[in-house]
Amino acid sequence: MCVRHLYSNFRIEHAGLPLKNILWAAARVTTISWYEAEMDKMKEQDEEAWKFKRQVYLNTSRKDRVYIMLRMANRRIAGMVWRHPVGPRIVKIIEKNKLGASQCIPRLAGGSKYQISHMYGGEYEANVFDYAHDCYKKEAYLSSYEPMAVPNQPNQGAFGCSTVQGAAQTVPNQPNQGTVASSTVEGSAQLGSVNIPIHQKVSIFEVQSGGMDKIGFIKKDIYNLECSVNGKLRNHDVELVTEYFMAEQKKNEGFYFKIEGDGHDRFSRCFWADATSRRAYGFYGDVVVFDTTFNTNRYDLTFAPMLGVNNHGQTIVLACAFLSEETTESFVWMFEEFKKAMPGGEPKTIITDQDAAMAIAISIAFPTTFHRLCIWHITSKFSVKLPRDAYNEYWREFQKAIWDTDNKDEFDAKWNIVVTKAGLTDHPWLSSMFDLRESWVPAYTRQFFAAGMSSSQRAEGSHGFFKQYISRRNSLMDFIIRFERALSHQREKELVADHVDAFEVAQCLLPMPMNKQMATLYTRTMFQKFEQELIQSTACFLELKTEDACKVVFNVSERKNWETRVAEVVYVKDSDHASCSCKRFEFVGIICKHILALFRRDQIEYMPEKYILKRWKKTAKCGLVSDANGKEIKDCADPGLLIKRSTMSRLASDVVEDALMSEEGCEVLSATLKCLQVKLKLLKDGPSNNEVGGSSSQTQYMKDPKRVRCKRRSKGVTGAKEKAMKRGIRHCRECGHIGHDRRQCPALNTP
């Protein structure tokens, strides 16, 4: 029945947009129960319209559907006992052509070929083995009547099952998976775990099978399979994540997690940190970089990783969280959980961008931690916040004031000079940045250790790395699995660097005792930084400035970029300690070239131990790490587990390689593994599953989160220049105005 004609008759007496929407929704249903639900909506809206629709549409649609499905089932049953190699319609055509065969004379033309001469003229060549195309054969005929859908009985649910009269099998009334084999289902899941899209999955299966005609399914079947799997997991996402976290905690007590709801038994936020991350915080927890990122899951929850730096200068993950809101309360909750999970107390420094809620939360949760703002985010706004002419003329001077000053008074003086020259003394944004100078200007912040970081770019790079493995379509469980895979790849780089440092010694460019000493103590990355300072110290010149009974002050000058820069080194006699105005040792943890020049003058051949930070040594991870209760945190609960896993993996790999040499070997191995899998399951579950307490069926889980509206990148400032470029409006590079380009610039064309 044509729904458009039905609606034309329906709207004569029952007009209105609500009834129209309900009618079309009912026309698109695929089950009787779904149809009844739509009819109930219409009954609430207009009972007369409901009587009209129920009388006409239900009877005709149900009758037509049942008739078509029963006809397809009967055709399929008849085709199974069909004795001809081609379909019934082709047999009729062949029988009809037999009548004209008497007018033709065949002659053998060699092999299976014949030359056919018609009595009224015409010569033809025929091959007895090519008398029917593959599309006309019995197999193609049967495939066209494969079961696709069945009528649902009124007493069944939307995803119930029913049997067609005479049909050979029962078909579920849900998205069909076609003829996709179980091996293909597993392969599709494995490819999906590495974010391979469906069209590429089909291409991979095509190459494996040897052609599209040998795959055994079409691309639509894979899409239906994905929908079916997602449908089964829907509303169980938080349950799966909770069970996964509990399983990880059971394997290793060092795994920490916390999940909270929103007051309506629905997921709101979660925090987790594995034993490896908690142990790493015990060694490298002095500096933390924190930034949020988006587009990582289907619920638009904000992903908030807390990052650190290891002894190789590599980024490491210390903890992670999902937040439904970027509010002060959410950040405080996360930071409090972070303090509970991590050993060693608060970090010394935390680096973030300019987020008001984040800043307030840090002051509440980490009162003793120095909060440093990302200098890159601030300096990148100068081109947007300042007038175009002022930016072009004075930006270089702002740069020199920010980066080329070593003490606070010098910075304040240079900043005020530049602001006065530019006529921006009353500029509100510059005034606010000057008030916050203690949080981002190097002259104020270098006295605090930050592992050489002045921005949160390490977090931005980490987000880019992890987004190679995840996508915004992932569920929470999908995200956790893909994130763990990315995390293992990241940690593998750290293991490779540890291996290099354990079995190799870096080559020294300078044959000095101190250089050789640090090559054996520092990791390769940190040694290269130290060696560069040592090389540059040879170009520094010392000049005695003042000396008294307590200290000696030197001026250390160096020539750089055609300019002479002078640093002040102070040596305190009582404590036998040297410090420099550049604050590199306090900021990076590696001694600067100015102090090294003083050591060279005093002929100090070996580095004193107090100038060598343990966090940069090869042995930085040696030692025990305990939680707040005094319990040791271990990377692996069973140290022999890795050895057992390695041994069994090697044995299994050898067995599989031997079995692949023959089909019989594959069958024997497959049967043995299935039998072994059953025995291991019985061994794992015990004599009876009913005796195990605290099962997932008895545990109350939270509901999956609703999709939230996150701030995304609205925090970033978009200026008129960027907006104009996005709209395609011309922008002049000469004068900076919008509406014309350089060729029509009035400033250049004025005589």
Side-chain angles (χ1 to χ4, degrees), residues 378-514:
I378 294 175
T379 55
S380 63
K381 295 178 183 178
F382 273 76
S383 61
V384 178
K385 296 293 186 179
L386 300 186
R388 180 77 180 186
D389 297 336
Y391 173 77
N392 290 335
E393 186 173 356
Y394 297 103
W395 168 236
R396 294 293 182 187
E397 297 187 35
F398 275 113
Q399 279 185 312
K400 291 182 179 180
I402 295 171
W403 294 105
D404 296 345
T405 54
D406 292 335
N407 59 74
K408 305 174 184 179
D409 296 335
E410 184 181 0
F411 168 78
D412 293 347
K414 287 188 176 182
W415 177 277
N416 292 327
I417 291 173
V418 178
V419 170
T420 303
K421 287 171 59 178
L424 300 173
T425 53
D426 296 330
H427 195 280
W429 183 79
L430 283 179
S431 300
S432 64
M433 290 300 100
F434 185 75
D435 294 338
L436 292 174
R437 63 190 182 279
E438 295 183 356
S439 300
W440 65 277
V441 176
Y444 284 86
T445 58
R446 278 183 181 152
Q447 58 183 320
F448 300 99
F449 180 78
M453 295 182 293
S454 58
S455 70
S456 60
Q457 287 298 297
R458 190 177 290 269
E460 299 288 345
S462 179
H463 296 165
F465 170 77
F466 286 118
K467 285 188 177 180
Q468 297 175 9
Y469 299 84
I470 56 181
S471 70
R472 63 179 306 172
R473 297 187 301 272
N474 293 148
S475 63
L476 294 182
M477 193 64 231
D478 289 337
F479 174 90
I480 296 296
I481 294 174
R482 288 161 171 77
F483 179 77
E484 290 294 331
R485 176 171 168 265
L487 194 59
S488 65
H489 289 182
Q490 185 187 74
R491 289 171 176 172
E492 182 193 13
K493 297 179 182 179
E494 183 178 359
L495 291 176
V496 171
D498 288 339
H499 177 82
V500 171
D501 288 335
F503 296 98
E504 298 179 14
V505 178
Q507 294 182 354
C508 300
L509 298 179
L510 295 179
M512 300 172 61
M514 184 180 294

Side-chain angles (χ1 to χ4, degrees), residues 256-314:
Y256 181 92
F257 76 96
K258 183 67 174 294
I259 300 177
E260 282 197 358
D262 58 357
H264 301 284
D265 200 25
R266 187 175 295 277
F267 177 94
S268 175
R269 55 199 180 190
C270 74
F271 173 92
W272 76 96
D274 61 6
T276 303
S277 296
R278 297 178 66 195
R279 180 176 167 83
Y281 181 83
F283 302 120
Y284 314 116
D286 43 12
V287 182
V288 173
V289 182
F290 179 60
D291 191 17
T292 57
T293 186
F294 311 96
N295 296 331
T296 61
N297 57 88
R298 66 176 60 163
Y299 309 105
D300 283 337
L301 294 173
T302 301
F303 178 55
M306 302 193 76
L307 309 174
V309 183
N310 64 9
N311 56 341
H312 303 286
Q314 300 171 338

